[in-house]
Amino acid sequence: MVAFVAGQKIRASDLNKLVSRVGSLTTSATGISGVAGTETMGDTLTVSGLVSGDLYRVAYDCVLNCTVNGNYFEMRMRYATGATVTTAGTSFRVIPQTVVTQGNWEPEKHLVGEFTAPSSGQFTVGISLKRTAGAGTGAVVAERFISVDRVQAA
């Protein structure tokens, strides 16, 4: 981030360092369903023009649901170069989640992770889900929102 003080001249190169939205997606269809002990990729977003060495923040809002009380899940943020990301993509944030009551939608989850682009170009970020304990299956349901912001230039 760039800090400006009174009377300071601003150069165009300083403005290039400000936070900027690279891409976002809102969707309302069920994202991931029937997830048990195997990591399953859900929502993804492909963005272009990322710059090597710049820091990017990914935000994801969602609601979880499950078929059995007391399941535990792991949500993982991943990225890959190009137009697709799979569960083999680079993991940059792991977030443990609990779904307490069967059939009930849990409070909205707000997940945030950051990664430094290892090269310039097109990247795809994605959110996966995996059950880590329990016997039921889980789902990411309702409206979801995913965004990518550049938060710091190299």
Side-chain angles (χ1 to χ4, degrees), residues 35-37 64 66 68-75 95-100 129-138:
V35 176
L64 295 178
C66 70
V68 175
N69 290 345
N71 278 282
Y72 294 87
F73 292 89
E74 175 181 279
M75 298 189 85
I95 307 102
Q97 300 290 331
T98 305
V99 179
V100 179
L129 182 68
K130 176 183 176 182
R131 188 192 69 226
T132 56
T137 61

Side-chain angles (χ1 to χ4, degrees), residues 27-33 41-43 60 139-142 144:
T27 183
S28 59
T30 297
I32 313 170
S33 62
M41 186 58 66
D43 292 308
Y60 184 67
V140 176
V141 295
R144 283 134 14 252

Side-chain angles (χ1 to χ4, degrees), residues 1-2 12-20 50-57 115-117 149-154:
M1 299 297 275
V2 177
S13 62
D14 292 328
L15 296 176
N16 292 334
K17 297 177 184 176
L18 297 177
V19 173
S20 60
L50 273 62
V51 178
S52 178
D54 284 4
L55 181 66
Y56 294 89
R57 178 175 297 139
F115 72 95
T116 300
D149 296 324
R150 184 181 70 172
V151 294
Q152 186 173 348

